[in-house]
């Protein structure tokens, strides 16, 4: 994504500090450290700020939600509803899921069931 959008900045959020540490080290090795930032935050935290770093969700234009966020359609829907309340109007959310055999590794979300409006 950073190669396609050379002026973009990616802010990585994960509730797992060790996963963030590995990602941060990888960003340095790949030469993207100056265009990436990291914070340990749980997206399912229902507070407006949302976590240890006090993430300002309103500053994001696009949020990519990983396939592992929410272990089924119902929990992913709940997390998405909470996330949408934190985002500014017009922000986009891309929610990943799994298809076919990837459903063995990742939770499959019913795409028809994931509809959020605000």
């Amino acid at each position: 994504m950073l190669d396609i959008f050379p002026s973009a900045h990616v802010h990585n959020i994960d509730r797992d500090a060790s996963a963030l540490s590995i990602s941060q080290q990888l960003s340095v090795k790949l030469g993207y450290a100056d265009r990436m930032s990291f914070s340990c935050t749980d997206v399912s935290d229902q507070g407006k700020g949302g976590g240890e770093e006090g993430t300002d969700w309103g500053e994001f234009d696009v949020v990519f939600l990983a396939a592992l966020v929410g272990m089924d359609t119902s929990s992913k829907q709940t997390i998405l509803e909470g996330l949408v309340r934190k985002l500014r109007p017009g922000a986009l959310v891309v929610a990943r899921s799994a298809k076919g055999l990837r459903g063995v590794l990742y939770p499959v979300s019913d795409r028809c069931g994931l509809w959020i409006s605000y």
Side-chain angles (χ1 to χ4, degrees), residues 63-108:
V63 174
F64 289 88
L65 203 60
L68 288 175
V69 175
M71 294 308 291
D72 56 31
T73 300
S74 176
S75 60
K76 192 174 289 264
Q77 177 85 23
T78 300
I79 291 167
L80 280 167
E81 288 170 354
L83 176 60
V84 165
R85 284 191 286 277
K86 297 175 190 181
L87 298 173
R88 66 170 176 75
L92 301 175
V93 177
V94 179
R96 293 185 57 200
S97 184
K99 181 178 180 181
L101 284 176
R102 290 183 189 250
V104 174
L105 300 172
Y106 301 102
V108 177

